[in-house]
């Protein structure tokens, strides 16, 4: 972390009390609006950059996790959720109210690059405008959309028109001379290498990429609206499965469970936490296996064998997950306060199946190393391509294997423990290569760590006394958290920090439900990695980011 | 055989039982039970259409087309364990120009529908569509979303619906085999009304919305107009 003022002897890790922070910000603070997870300071809409730079440079809040926009009866509000990469339990929320009629506030983009997309999303869905933003356009909905769907006066019934325009080369003007010429290339939205419906607007100069812009929103399924329409107790839980749908469902459910349980103050029995932790790590293995499979395919179409092997391993985990939850993909297994049912009977069979899986896992990993990581072609394609320096990664709010592949030692399972992780013995994996290869290695090594976690959970569960197997806490049938309680909680999903912001309004449905998707932030780094490289490297970089469009677009 | 020798056919060495059998027509290597059923005649009599339909149904190329969650199960259907290829229809083609069948595996949203229609239009006739998952039937769990098209059938015609969220690979296999059966029998699926068409902007009926967008969209640009109020 760069220190602007070394004389303050502030190394960022120093924890400040809310009052000290308020003193640091001085006049900038006009009011306090504390959230359950962090102190909240209300500031004026024209002092966003100033406030955030003070917090970033002098207090060490170097991670802009999320920007939430919401509408009240009398005002709009943007919340900047800040954290520290060194210690994510130190959080602070900066609340920026904006005028109801003309909601304008200053953009945070000059301080945190990641604010670019987050603010575009806030503009798109909520209608808050950001001054000084480099490129305030719609991001998820078609450019021709009318109205801002999450704002209060939006009429869902009105007709809309989506256009299919011919895309123009944004750099055409700059390269008019005879020597250089640029070519515009559309990749996607229907393309095998984009892992779903992503559209990359790419401009080539010769064979080199000079500009790539991810165009997203082809799978914007209104997840936030769906959650806001559902009741806390049962109706929201099925949706998280569908954010990161690469079998990572239980990890996502963990995110909602954690946020809602902290909001409603529900204590989860230990036994349920162990089951949750085990299930979540199984999901992680399944998710990383798919990342591996498709990445190998992206690098070289001839790696179909790897794809089949990895899918085979996924089938094995999915069998276990199916035994546990009853579903292959959309588990809907967590409930607030626990899980829906206990381990499948006969328990011994489930344990021995799980053990069998864990026993053969090192062998398959060895096989993947033989097949891909030690393969020369593969190494040539991935080592030193798609380089993402740690400072850049942090600036874009990248998390998960993407950040850890750049040497950023950040894992919420350890740094902000939840579930049963802090009782178990496992390591956070990081690699310093900052390239495509490192990101893959991180995922492969994380599979081994997950296996360790599962094994310990199985040991624990096996010996758990029968009369203490409590899978659910007592939770009232209808949850009505107190009016105007706000919370932001995150867990380590398969792709990184998966956070949820909830504001309650005293009813049984959330007034605002905002999802912090790791893929959304991670995908933003693509231009940094791809510019100046060749097209195949763009594809490799995209594959190594391991995005899921369901989570990018939500 | 050393390489400097010219290639000499040594009858005594190459004659195999199979070749013998082939020349004299005695062996049963080529005699399937079907062949037996036809008796001694080397000809079969059938309608050309029937034959062609049978060929069509027995070898279908899928479009490699992933949209949302369902595409994960679709990948599993193609890959080991479920191996759709066993049924003669498991080769995903990356280009719509080479594909016969499009499996629509996911939620269709406003921004994607025109693109999907375009991809569908690019497929050569005859083409078939399998709708996978509740989302392609009605919008599924996202039916009430402001941005979600209430079923793929609003945009393209669908031959087979496979319900589920997501359908298990077995269910998709069943759906595809059903489609193959249908194609082989030459059964056409009923033509459905597709309310959302891709059309030129200038062809839209003029109303408030069109007037408002007139300076944003070119006359000849392709657009899709959604009447959400009329959606199911
Ligand atoms: S039907 Fe279910 S699994 Fe399939 S795309 Fe829709 S939400 Fe996803």
């Amino acid at each position: 972390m760069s220190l602007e003022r070394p004389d303050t002897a502030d190394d960022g890790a120093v924890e400040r009390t809310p009052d000290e922070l308020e003193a640091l910000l001085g006049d900038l603070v006009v009011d306090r609006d504390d959230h359950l997870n962090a102190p909240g300071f209300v500031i004026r809409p024209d002092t966003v950059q100033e406030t955030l730079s003070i917090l970033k440079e002098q207090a060490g809040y170097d991670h802009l996790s999320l920007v939430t926009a919401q509408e009240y009866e009398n005002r709009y509000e943007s919340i900047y959720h800040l954290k520290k990469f060194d210690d994510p339990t130190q959080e602070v929320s900066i609340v920026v109210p904006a005028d109801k009629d003309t909601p304008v506030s200053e953009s945070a983009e000059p301080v945190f690059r990641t604010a670019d997309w987050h603010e575009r999303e806030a503009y798109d869905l909520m209608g808050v405008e950001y001054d000084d933003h480099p490129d305030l356009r719609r991001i998820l909905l078609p450019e021709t959309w009318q109205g801002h769907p999450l704002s209060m006066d939006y009429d869902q019934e009105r007709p809309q028109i989506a256009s299919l325009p011919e895309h123009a080369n944004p750099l055409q003007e700059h390269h008019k001379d005879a020597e250089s010429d640029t070519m515009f290339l559309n990749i996607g939205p229907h393309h095998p290498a984009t892992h779903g419906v992503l559209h990359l607007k790419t401009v080539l100069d010769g064979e080199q990429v000079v500009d790539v812009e991810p165009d997203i929103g082809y799978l914007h399924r209104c997840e936030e609206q769906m959650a806001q329409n559902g009741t806390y107790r049962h109706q929201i839980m099925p949706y998280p499965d569908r954010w990161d749908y690469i079998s990572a469902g239980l990890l996502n459910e963990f995110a909602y469970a954690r946020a809602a349980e902290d909001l409603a103050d529900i204590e989860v029995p230990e036994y349920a936490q162990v089951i949750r932790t085990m299930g979540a790590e199984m999901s992680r293995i399944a998710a990383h296996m798919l990342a591996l499979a498709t990445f190998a395919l992206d690098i070289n179409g001839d790696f179909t064998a790897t794809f089949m092997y990895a899918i085979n391993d996924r089938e094995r985990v999915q069998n276990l997950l199916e035994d546990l939850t009853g579903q292959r993909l959309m588990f809907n297994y967590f409930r607030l306060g626990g899980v829906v049912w206990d381990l499948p009977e006969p328990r011994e069979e489930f344990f021995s199946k799980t053990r069998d899986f864990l026993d053969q896992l090192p062998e398959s990993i060895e096989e993947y190393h033989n097949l891909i990581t030690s393969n020369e072609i593969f190494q040539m394609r991935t080592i030193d391509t798609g380089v993402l320096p740690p400072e850049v990664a942090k600036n874009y709010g990248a998390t998960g294997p993407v950040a850890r592949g750049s040497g950023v030692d950040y894992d919420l399972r350890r740094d902000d423990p939840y579930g049963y992780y802090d009782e178990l013995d496992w390591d956070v994996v990081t690699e310093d290569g900052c390239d495509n290869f490192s990101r893959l290695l991180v995922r492969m090594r994380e599979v081994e760590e997950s296996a360790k976690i599962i094994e310990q959970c199985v040991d624990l569960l096996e010996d758990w006394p029968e009369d203490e197997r409590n899978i659910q806490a007592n939770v009232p049938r209808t949850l009505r958290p107190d009016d105007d309680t706000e919370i932001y909680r995150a867990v380590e999903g398969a792709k990184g920090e998966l956070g949820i912001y909830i504001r309650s309004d005293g009813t049984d449905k959330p007034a605002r439900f905002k999802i912090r998707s790791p893929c959304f932030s991670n995908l933003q780094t693509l231009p940094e990695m791809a510019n100046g490289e060749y097209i195949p490297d763009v594809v490799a970089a995209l594959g190594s980011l391991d995005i899921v469009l369901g989570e990018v677009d939500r | 055989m050393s390489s400097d020798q010219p290639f000499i056919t040594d009858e005594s060495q190459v004659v195999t039982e199979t070749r013998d059998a082939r020349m004299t027509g005695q062996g049963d290597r080529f005699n399937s039970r079907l062949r037996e059923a036809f008796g001694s005649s080397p000809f079969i009599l059938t309608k050309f259409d029937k034959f062609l339909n049978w060929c069509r149904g027995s070898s279908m190329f899928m479009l490699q087309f992933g949209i949302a969650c369902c595409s994960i199960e679709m990948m599993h259907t193609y890959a080991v364990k479920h191996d759709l290829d066993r049924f003669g229809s498991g080769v995903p083609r990356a280009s719509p120009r080479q594909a016969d069948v499009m499996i629509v595996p996911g939620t269709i949203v406003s921004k994607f529908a025109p693109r999907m229609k375009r991809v569908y239009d690019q497929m050569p006739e005859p083409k078939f569509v399998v709708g996978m998952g509740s989302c392609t039937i009605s919008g599924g769990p996202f039916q009430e979303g402001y941005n979600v098209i209430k079923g793929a059938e609003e945009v393209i015609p669908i031959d087979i619906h496979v319900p589920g969220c997501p359908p298990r690979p077995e269910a998709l296999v069943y759906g595809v085999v059903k489609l193959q059966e249908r194609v082989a029998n030459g059964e056409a699926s009923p033509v459905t009304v597709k309310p959302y068409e891709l059309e030129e902007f200038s062809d839209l009926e003029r109303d408030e919305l069109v007037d408002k967008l007139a300076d944003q969209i070119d006359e000849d640009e392709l657009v899709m107009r959604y009447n959400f109020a009329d959606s199911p």
Side-chain angles (χ1 to χ4, degrees):
Chain A
M1 196 179 322
S2 70
L3 291 178
E4 294 287 288
R5 296 183 196 169
D7 52 329
T8 54
D10 190 345
D11 65 356
V14 176
E15 183 154 9
R16 291 172 193 259
T17 61
D19 291 333
E20 282 169 354
L21 279 174
E22 192 168 347
L24 180 73
L25 292 174
D27 287 347
L28 292 167
V29 179
V30 291
D31 200 0
R32 282 286 287 272
D33 179 13
D34 285 356
H35 298 168
L36 279 188
N37 62 310
F41 301 109
V42 182
I43 61 168
R44 283 192 312 278
D46 56 347
T47 54
V48 177
Q49 289 174 12
E50 198 183 333
T51 316
L52 293 187
S53 8
I54 292 181
L55 287 171
K56 184 181 184 183
E57 268 136 30
Q58 295 179 29
Y61 288 95
D62 54 353
H63 179 29
L64 175 57
S65 184
L66 172 70
V67 181
T68 308
Q70 54 183 328
E71 187 181 5
Y72 288 89
E73 289 300 335
N74 59 353
R75 64 178 192 280
Y76 283 88
E77 196 176 272
S78 316
I79 307 176
Y80 295 84
H81 302 270
L82 297 175
K83 289 186 176 185
K84 296 182 180 179
F85 272 107
D86 286 337
D87 177 7
T89 54
Q90 293 182 39
E91 298 171 83
V92 61
S93 309
I94 297 300
V95 182
V96 191
D99 189 55
K100 180 89 179 177
D101 299 324
T102 44
V104 184
S105 78
E106 197 181 37
S107 166
E109 193 273 341
V111 189
F112 291 100
R113 263 301 278 138
T114 183
D116 179 355
W117 277 24
H118 285 280
E119 286 174 351
R120 272 178 70 188
E121 186 191 320
Y123 163 70
D124 192 353
L125 302 184
M126 207 48 104
V128 182
E129 293 187 21
Y130 294 90
D131 251 354
D132 204 18
H133 188 283
D135 183 21
L136 197 63
R137 282 178 295 134
R138 287 191 182 270
I139 185 166
L140 294 175
L141 293 168
E143 297 266 335
T144 47
W145 202 259
Q146 301 297 307
H148 302 279
L150 291 185
S151 60
M152 283 173 171
D153 58 357
Y154 183 73
D155 172 16
Q156 205 176 317
E157 301 273 278
R158 79 170 104 171
Q160 299 283 357
I161 291 180
S163 67
L164 184 67
E166 194 178 318
H167 294 288
N169 179 349
L171 295 187
Q172 205 151 33
E173 298 298 311
H174 307 294
H175 294 261
K176 272 282 165 64
D177 56 333
E179 263 106 279
S180 73
D181 189 18
T182 56
M183 184 181 119
F184 181 74
L185 185 69
N186 271 317
I187 309 180
H190 162 237
H191 189 280
T194 54
H195 294 213
V197 281
L198 169 70
H199 175 203
L200 295 178
K201 298 178 184 169
T202 319
V203 182
L204 302 179
D205 184 358
E207 272 192 83
Q208 269 178 332
V209 176
V210 284
D211 185 54
V212 48
E213 190 205 327
D215 175 21
I216 63 176
Y218 294 96
L219 194 52
H220 175 53
R221 305 192 276 195
C222 335
E223 300 270 13
E224 286 168 12
Q225 182 202 16
M226 293 294 110
Q228 277 161 218
N229 289 349
T231 54
Y232 290 103
R233 185 74 172 93
H234 291 298
Q235 290 179 350
I236 296 177
M237 198 54 99
Y239 285 100
D241 283 322
R242 289 160 180 81
W243 302 342
D244 176 357
Y245 46 67
I246 314 280
S247 285
L250 292 183
L251 294 157
N252 307 351
E253 289 176 21
F254 225 143
Y256 173 62
R258 184 175 192 205
E261 279 156 10
D262 283 357
L263 178 73
D265 206 8
I266 298 168
E267 192 70 43
V268 183
E270 224 170 272
Y271 180 68
Q273 289 289 29
V274 180
I275 299 182
R276 281 180 173 189
T277 309
M278 178 184 70
E281 290 309 309
M282 285 180 181
S283 284
R284 192 182 310 274
I285 292 184
H288 282 356
M289 283 294 168
L290 193 77
L292 177 90
T294 48
F295 185 46
L297 266 190
D298 287 345
I299 298 297
N300 187 335
D302 288 343
F303 282 126
T304 343
T306 326
F307 179 78
M308 292 294 178
Y309 280 35
I311 291 283
N312 197 22
D313 274 319
R314 263 175 67 85
E315 287 283 359
R316 291 194 184 122
V317 199
Q318 280 188 316
N319 283 343
L320 294 178
L321 283 166
E322 193 182 342
D323 285 348
L324 180 66
T325 67
Q327 252 280 17
R328 279 169 59 86
L329 201 61
M330 300 302 169
F331 309 112
N332 192 16
Y333 179 59
F334 287 13
R335 292 289 178 275
L336 298 188
V339 293
V340 61
W341 45 61
D342 200 350
L343 299 180
E345 291 289 347
R347 292 164 69 93
E348 293 69 37
E349 192 185 320
F350 177 73
F351 291 135
S352 78
K353 273 189 192 165
T354 314
R355 288 235 155 83
D356 286 349
F357 168 72
L358 295 175
D359 287 343
Q360 62 81 39
L361 196 64
E363 201 183 314
S364 351
I365 292 179
E366 191 57 43
E367 217 157 34
Y368 295 124
H369 280 301
N370 285 338
L371 271 169
I372 45 178
T373 49
S374 57
N375 180 312
E376 246 173 79
I377 303 174
F378 189 86
Q379 291 181 354
M380 271 161 54
R381 289 287 313 280
T382 52
I383 293 179
D384 284 337
T385 58
V387 176
L388 183 71
E391 284 314 313
V392 180
K394 284 182 179 178
N395 200 9
Y396 277 95
T399 48
V402 176
R404 290 194 285 275
S406 293
V408 179
D409 192 4
Y410 182 76
D411 189 325
L412 291 176
R413 288 174 291 171
R414 176 201 59 196
D415 299 337
D416 183 9
Y418 56 95
Y420 211 69
Y421 288 109
D422 48 350
E423 310 278 330
L424 304 173
D425 176 31
W426 58 280
D427 296 310
V428 175
V429 177
T430 54
E431 290 280 339
D432 294 324
C434 308
D435 53 9
N436 292 338
F437 194 65
S438 313
R439 289 188 276 278
L440 178 75
L441 276 190
V442 166
R443 291 199 182 93
M444 290 181 66
R445 287 176 53 199
E446 273 185 17
V447 167
E448 295 173 40
E449 294 300 324
S450 297
K452 266 204 235 167
I453 297 178
I454 298 175
E455 190 162 1
Q456 294 169 48
C457 291
V458 170
D459 287 343
L460 283 167
L461 291 172
E462 235 172 2
D463 300 334
W464 211 275
E466 201 164 342
D467 46 354
E468 286 168 32
R469 291 183 196 155
N470 185 5
I471 53 161
Q472 276 239 10
N474 271 332
V475 182
R477 189 169 297 172
T478 332
L479 282 179
R480 284 200 184 78
D482 296 338
D483 192 11
D484 206 27
T485 327
E486 296 169 66
I487 189 165
Y488 173 63
R489 277 271 179 262
V491 300
E492 187 71 28
K495 321 288 190 242
E497 178 176 340
L498 176 63
I500 292 173
Y501 165 86
I502 303 179
R503 174 169 65 88
S504 60
D505 58 358
T507 64
D508 57 352
K509 294 175 182 172
R512 180 79 173 106
F513 189 98
K514 174 93 184 95
I515 308 158
R516 191 255 184 215
S517 137
C519 293
F520 185 75
S521 299
N522 290 353
L523 180 59
Q524 256 193 97
T525 63
L526 184 67
E528 293 283 341
M529 297 199 275
N531 288 352
E533 307 250 5
Y534 298 122
I535 277 281
D537 296 332
V538 176
V539 173
L542 184 66
S544 78
L545 283 179
D546 183 26
I547 50 158
V548 187
L549 271 301
E551 199 178 59
V552 173
D553 295 344
R554 285 152 287 142
Chain B
M1 209 186 296
S2 72
S3 57
D4 49 15
Q5 261 187 0
F7 182 74
I8 300 166
T9 328
D10 183 351
E11 282 290 310
S12 67
Q13 283 182 24
V14 287
V15 172
T16 63
E17 274 180 20
T18 320
R19 197 172 98 169
D20 263 353
R22 222 183 278 179
M23 287 195 318
T24 55
Q26 290 156 345
D28 60 355
R29 184 165 179 256
F30 293 93
N31 279 347
S32 61
R33 253 184 278 149
L34 187 71
R35 184 78 190 69
E36 267 164 40
F38 282 130
S40 57
S41 163
F43 304 103
I44 54 167
L45 209 55
T46 177
K47 275 189 280 180
F48 186 67
D49 279 356
K50 203 162 184 184
F51 174 67
L52 217 60
N53 283 339
W54 173 78
C55 293
R56 232 171 233 156
S58 310
S59 159
M60 302 210 290
F61 281 15
M62 306 310 220
L63 176 65
Q64 188 175 344
F65 188 53
I67 304 179
C69 350
C70 276
S71 53
I72 304 298
E73 286 295 65
M74 186 183 71
M75 276 164 47
H76 278 261
T77 316
Y78 288 140
V80 282
K81 187 167 170 187
H82 299 100
D83 191 10
L84 188 57
D85 207 9
R86 286 177 296 165
F87 303 94
S89 53
V91 189
R93 311 298 304 177
S95 160
R97 312 252 182 223
Q98 305 166 337
D100 306 312
V101 182
M102 179 178 186
I103 299 182
V104 185
T107 327
I108 318 293
V109 303
S110 69
K111 205 168 167 182
F112 192 63
R115 274 83 179 172
M116 182 174 77
K117 173 78 172 136
R118 171 60 73 81
V119 171
Y120 176 76
D121 289 345
Q122 284 171 340
M123 286 167 56
E125 289 281 359
K127 50 192 168 188
F128 307 95
V129 182
V130 176
M132 181 180 183
S134 320
C135 283
T136 58
I137 296 174
S138 64
F142 304 99
Q143 212 259 349
E144 286 159 24
Y146 50 81
N147 193 29
V148 174
I149 308 301
K150 323 290 180 239
E153 214 152 19
E154 308 237 325
V155 184
I156 57 174
I158 297 215
D159 295 87
I160 297 268
H161 286 290
V162 184
C165 182
R168 294 178 63 94
E170 292 89 333
L172 182 61
V173 170
Y174 180 74
V176 170
V177 170
K178 269 278 171 235
L179 176 68
Q180 287 180 307
E181 231 175 83
R182 258 193 163 177
V183 172
N185 293 337
E187 292 166 16
S189 52
V191 177
T192 45
V193 188
K194 294 160 285 156
Y196 299 153
E197 265 300 341
L198 206 52
E199 50 199 332
E200 283 189 10
F201 185 63
S202 52
D203 291 347
L204 288 182
E205 227 174 277
R206 293 201 75 90
D207 63 6
E208 203 188 330
L209 176 63
V210 174
D211 284 339
K212 208 166 164 191
L213 286 169
D215 51 344
Q216 270 188 54
I217 306 180
D218 289 340
E219 290 272 288
D220 55 353
E221 206 167 295
L222 290 174
V223 295
M224 199 173 261
R225 186 199 159 100
Y226 306 113
N227 295 318
F228 285 124
D230 305 339
S231 285

